[in-house]
């Protein structure tokens, strides 16, 4: 093991992550920031800092959404909206704050996807949601990619209605612009407040009203705080400034009653016996290198203690019961260390074999029976291939594992610590399998297969196509083609590519893993389990 004083490998990746996050936090840049302050407004992140309880933990999701996207429009840092899970007046909430420094808070396609993800988290966990509205509405140059489809802008209001019927608390604060269809979001919330002079809400602004019906009306008359608090009754509270508005939210949230709990088991939290910082020494920055997943688990679980299920069977997957920050969890983790099977042959780390899939399936069923949340630690290169595996029924065993993951009713939390390739992504609870939260470490890679295999496959296809056209391909040409393909493919497998498109909710420092798991289970505990685990094909 490396000494802690050696600062290479994963430390460099974490430093890069921190640098990127710092740039993203500048939003639309200094000029735009100064403009907001001149209006007497707080920035989105300043509003969150003021709203959340000071000493309580927080988790930002989607900070890298939109990363390196929309360059032709000047970019869209954090998708123009900041979303965090934290504590307001002691109650865990999710808060959505438009960043008016980014294109006046306009909605890009990725903005819509990020807002919908926040609502999904709220709905799954019955978590109160607070909207800090400051947006110019849909980004018109891309309106066809954000307006009409099922998972586009209109889905936000459908969710507002559904959440209201579910009894999920929704509070909206109009702290800047709120126009056109976007005006429905705060008014479909349970309570809405508006900041005097800087907040405004209307279906059409002064210019559109003039063009449509010839009426001259200024912004305050159309939709300012006085209009909607004293004339229309659209909003419920008139606030003198941003801090007064946020104080009102704190007061309201502080009076919300408690709810039924799911009943996940928690005892007094204890730190791991092994220093968490050892994670940074255990994890290689090169995903082709092996390491021992047991060492990772010991850095994450309370007292570094766990009860392993089927220790001597299916060794390429580790299954164990443990506690993280006091919460009872079931851990399903890919073993990257090369181990020997019962028959003596070597097994390559990160591959799922039939016996491993069978073990994981049974363990997942047990966790559902015992009402224990599942934590998946992904570093998987896929299921084992070849005639021996096929004859042994790898497809059927893999299908049963996927079925168990898909039908699980307990909360699932996915941490991608290394590779996440092919069907292994699915079996280990990738995004398509509804994890409550899915995050990646800076070492994560997500793709249909590894870079070398994919590049060589794509090269064969491209070379065959060129040869069919009569072109002569030299070894030098092949190398150039391979390098181009590899470069493009490698970019698409990085955690930044995944986070920018919200395939994962965040890239996190490995040292924040315990916090993310604990906060996610606490959120899930707000929502009692109402479904029975149905094993489906597992019965056959």
């Amino acid at each position: 093991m490396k000494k802690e004083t050696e600062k290479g490998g994963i430390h460099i990746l974490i430093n890069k992550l921190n640098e990127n996050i710092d740039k993203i936090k500048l939003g639309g840049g200094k000029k735009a920031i100064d403009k907001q302050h001149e209006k007497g407004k707080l920035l989105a992140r300043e509003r969150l800092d003021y709203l959340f309880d000071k000493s309580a933990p927080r988790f930002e999701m989607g900070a890298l959404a939109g990363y390196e996207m929309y360059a032709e429009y000047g970019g869209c840092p954090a998708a123009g909206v900041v979303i965090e899970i934290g504590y307001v007046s002691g109650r865990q909430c999710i808060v959505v704050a438009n960043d008016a420094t980014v294109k006046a808070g306009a909605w890009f396609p990725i903005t819509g996807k990020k807002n919908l993800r926040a609502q999904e988290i709220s709905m799954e966990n019955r978590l109160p949601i607070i909207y800090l509205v400051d947006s110019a509405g849909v980004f018109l140059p891309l309106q066809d990619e954000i307006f009409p489809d099922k998972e586009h802008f209109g889905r936000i209001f459908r969710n507002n209605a559904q959440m209201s019927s579910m009894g999920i608390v929704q509070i909206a604060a109009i702290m800047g612009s709120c126009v056109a269809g976007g005006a429905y979001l705060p008014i479909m919330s349970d309570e809405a407040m508006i900041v005097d002079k800087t907040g405004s809400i209307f279906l059409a602004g002064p210019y559109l009203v003039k063009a449509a019906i010839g009426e001259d009306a200024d912004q305050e008359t159309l939709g300012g705080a006085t209009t909607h608090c004293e004339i229309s009754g659209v909003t419920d509270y008139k606030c003198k400034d941003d801090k007064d508005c946020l104080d009102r939210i704190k007061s309201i949230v502080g009076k919300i009653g408690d709810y039924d709990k799911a009943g996940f088991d928690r005892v007094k939290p204890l730190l791991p016996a092994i220093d968490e910082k050892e994670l940074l020494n255990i994890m290689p920055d090169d995903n082709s290198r092996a390491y021992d997943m047991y060492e990772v688990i010991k850095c994450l679980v309370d007292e570094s203690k766990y009860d392993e299920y089927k220790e001597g069977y299916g060794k390429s997957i580790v299954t164990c019961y443990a506690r993280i920050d006091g919460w009872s969890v079931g851990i399903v983790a890919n073993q990257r260390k090369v181990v020997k099977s019962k028959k003596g042959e070597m097994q390559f780390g990160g591959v799922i074999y039939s016996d491993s899939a069978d073990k994981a399936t049974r363990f997942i069923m047990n966790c559902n029976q015992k009402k224990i949340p599942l934590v998946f630690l992904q570093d998987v290169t896929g299921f084992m291939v070849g005639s021996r595996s096929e004859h042994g029924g790898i497809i059927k065993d893999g299908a049963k594992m996927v079925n168990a993951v898909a039908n699980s009713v307990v909360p699932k939390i996915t941490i991608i610590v290394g590779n996440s390739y092919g069907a292994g992504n699915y079996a280990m609870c990738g995004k398509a399998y509804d994890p409550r939260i899915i995050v990646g470490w800076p070492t994560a890679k997500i793709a249909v297969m590894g870079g070398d295999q994919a590049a060589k496959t794509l090269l064969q296809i491209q070379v065959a196509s060129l040869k069919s056209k009569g072109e002569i391909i030299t070894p030098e040409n092949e190398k150039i083609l391979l390098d181009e393909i590899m470069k493009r493919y490698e970019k698409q497998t990085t955690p930044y590519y995944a986070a920018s498109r919200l395939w994962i909710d965040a890239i996190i420092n490995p040292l924040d893993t315990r916090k993310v798991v604990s906060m996610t289970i606490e959120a899930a505990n707000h929502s009692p389990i109402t479904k029975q685990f149905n094993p489906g094909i597992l019965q056959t």
Side-chain angles (χ1 to χ4, degrees):
M1 188 180 293
K2 298 177 186 175
K3 293 180 180 178
E4 191 178 328
T5 53
E6 294 180 26
K7 299 298 180 184
I10 194 170
H11 296 276
I12 294 172
L13 298 179
I14 291 171
N15 288 338
K16 179 187 175 184
L17 172 63
N18 292 337
E19 289 171 5
N20 284 326
I21 295 294
D22 287 343
K23 289 178 184 176
I24 286 166
K25 286 182 177 180
L26 294 174
K30 188 177 184 304
K31 187 176 179 181
I33 289 171
D34 290 343
K35 189 175 179 181
Q36 293 299 305
H37 284 157
E38 287 166 8
K39 294 178 180 178
K41 296 165 66 177
L42 297 174
L43 305 178
R45 294 181 185 278
E46 292 172 341
R47 290 167 177 166
L48 291 171
D49 288 342
Y50 188 85
L51 180 63
F52 282 125
D53 297 348
K54 302 304 177 199
S55 59
R58 291 159 57 178
F59 168 56
E60 180 174 355
M61 57 151 291
L64 287 151
Y67 179 77
E68 293 188 342
M69 295 171 67
Y70 310 115
E72 65 274 33
Y73 300 107
C76 187
V81 62
V82 185
I83 298 175
E84 289 195 49
I85 299 173
Y87 299 82
V88 178
S89 298
R91 177 172 292 280
Q92 194 179 44
C93 301
I94 185 165
V95 184
V96 180
N98 299 115
D99 186 350
T101 70
V102 180
K103 298 291 188 296
W107 288 54
F108 283 68
I110 195 66
T111 315
K113 187 173 183 179
K114 186 171 173 179
N115 275 267
L116 287 170
R117 178 60 177 145
Q119 289 185 319
E120 180 182 35
I121 291 171
S122 174
M123 293 168 81
E124 285 179 333
N125 301 291
R126 303 186 71 86
L127 206 58
I129 187 167
I130 299 165
Y131 308 99
L132 306 182
V133 184
D134 195 345
S135 171
V138 167
F139 186 64
L140 290 178
L142 296 173
Q143 64 86 27
D144 60 321
E145 298 179 39
I146 180 63
F147 170 67
D149 210 345
K150 180 179 179 179
E151 299 298 332
H152 284 178
F153 194 65
R155 188 77 171 183
I156 302 289
F157 316 128
R158 173 265 187 193
N159 286 350
N160 285 143
Q162 293 263 309
M163 292 159 77
S164 180
S165 71
M166 293 168 66
I168 296 170
V169 174
Q170 300 179 81
I171 299 170
I174 302 155
M175 308 183 79
S177 297
C178 184
V179 300
Y184 290 107
L185 184 147
I187 309 312
M188 293 183 76
S189 299
D190 301 304
E191 294 183 89
M193 54 209 70
I194 184 169
V195 178
D196 195 21
K197 307 304 179 190
T198 56
S200 60
I201 176 170
F202 35 63
L203 293 180
Y207 296 117
L208 184 54
V209 168
K210 176 68 174 177
I213 63 174
E215 179 186 353
D216 289 308
D218 61 34
Q219 187 160 301
E220 278 297 308
T221 302
L222 273 175
T226 299
T227 292
H228 286 310
C229 287
E230 300 177 19
I231 300 173
S232 72
V234 164
T235 51
D236 307 308
Y237 306 96
K238 182 178 180 180
C239 306
K240 64 180 181 181
D241 56 26
D242 280 10
K243 288 185 177 181
D244 182 43
C245 183
L246 297 169
D247 285 335
R248 176 75 68 174
I249 295 173
K250 291 180 186 182
S251 180
I252 292 171
V253 172
K255 297 177 177 65
I256 297 173
D258 204 357
Y259 304 107
D260 293 338
K261 297 289 194 295
F264 304 124
D265 186 64
R266 191 182 198 189
V267 298
K268 181 181 178 181
L270 295 168
L271 291 173
I274 297 173
D275 191 337
E276 287 180 88
K277 292 180 181 177
E278 281 298 317
L279 274 175
L280 308 187
N281 301 321
I282 293 165
M283 287 299 298
D285 59 338
D286 180 354
N287 285 28
S288 66
R289 288 171 52 196
Y291 62 92
D292 192 346
M293 183 58 81
Y294 288 104
E295 293 183 7
V296 172
I297 292 170
K298 288 175 184 176
C299 291
L300 295 176
V301 303
D302 293 13
E303 297 187 285
S304 302
K305 292 180 180 179
Y306 54 86
D307 299 305
E308 186 168 4
Y309 175 79
K310 290 186 180 290
E311 179 182 357
Y313 178 70
K315 290 187 176 182
S316 71
I317 284 183
V318 179
T319 50
C320 61
Y321 301 106
R323 290 190 182 275
I324 293 179
D325 200 37
W327 293 103
S328 171
V329 296
I331 295 174
V332 181
N334 303 110
Q335 174 60 293
R336 285 298 307 275
K337 183 179 179 181
V338 179
V339 296
K340 285 188 177 181
S341 73
K342 184 178 179 181
K343 294 181 180 179
E345 76 269 15
M346 301 301 286
Q347 294 189 343
F348 296 95
V351 177
I352 302 176
Y353 290 75
S354 283
D355 55 357
S356 301
D358 175 65
K359 176 172 80 169
T361 300
R362 292 169 184 268
F363 181 73
I364 291 165
M365 293 171 67
N366 285 350
C367 287
N368 275 271
Q369 184 185 44
K370 295 180 176 74
K371 201 156 72 170
I372 298 174
L374 285 159
V375 176
F376 292 85
L377 299 178
Q378 274 201 23
D379 194 345
V380 57
T381 51
F383 286 90
M384 190 59 189
V385 296
S387 59
R388 184 171 180 173
S389 292
E390 298 294 356
H391 295 171
I394 185 68
I395 295 175
K396 185 174 183 180
D397 290 322
K400 287 186 175 182
M401 182 176 174
V402 170
N403 186 281
V405 172
N407 284 312
S408 286
V409 296
V410 295
K412 296 167 290 192
I413 301 163
T414 303
I415 317 291
I416 303 176
V417 305
N419 299 317
S420 179
Y421 293 157
N425 170 281
Y426 303 156
M428 292 294 293
C429 197
K431 183 68 180 286
Y433 290 80
D434 299 321
R436 296 296 175 101
I437 287 289
I438 177 169
V439 297
W441 289 357
T443 45
K445 289 196 173 207
I446 303 171
V448 71
M449 65 178 72
D452 287 341
Q453 302 95 311
K456 288 173 183 176
T457 302
L458 291 167
L459 176 66
Q460 291 173 17
I461 295 169
Q462 198 162 334
V463 167
S465 175
L466 291 169
K467 285 181 177 178
S468 70
K469 297 174 184 177
E471 296 189 31
I472 298 173
I473 306 298
T474 66
E476 290 77 14
N477 294 144
E478 277 199 25
K479 186 178 184 309
I480 292 170
L481 283 172
L482 181 62
D483 289 344
E484 289 176 353
I485 292 168
M486 182 69 83
K487 185 177 179 181
R488 183 174 67 250
Y489 194 86
E490 284 296 316
K491 180 181 179 181
Q492 293 176 354
T493 65
T494 68
Y496 290 94
Y497 195 87
S500 70
R501 289 153 181 80
L502 289 174
W503 300 346
I504 57 177
D505 293 313
I507 304 174
I508 65 168
N509 185 323
L511 302 182
D512 288 332
T513 303
R514 279 171 53 87
K515 178 186 78 172
V516 170
V517 171
S518 179
M519 290 185 68
T520 303
I521 297 176
E522 182 179 348
N525 203 35
H526 290 108
S527 181
I529 296 173
T530 57
K531 293 181 180 179
Q532 291 264 335
F533 176 72
N534 188 336
I537 65 165
L538 303 180
Q539 298 176 92
T540 62

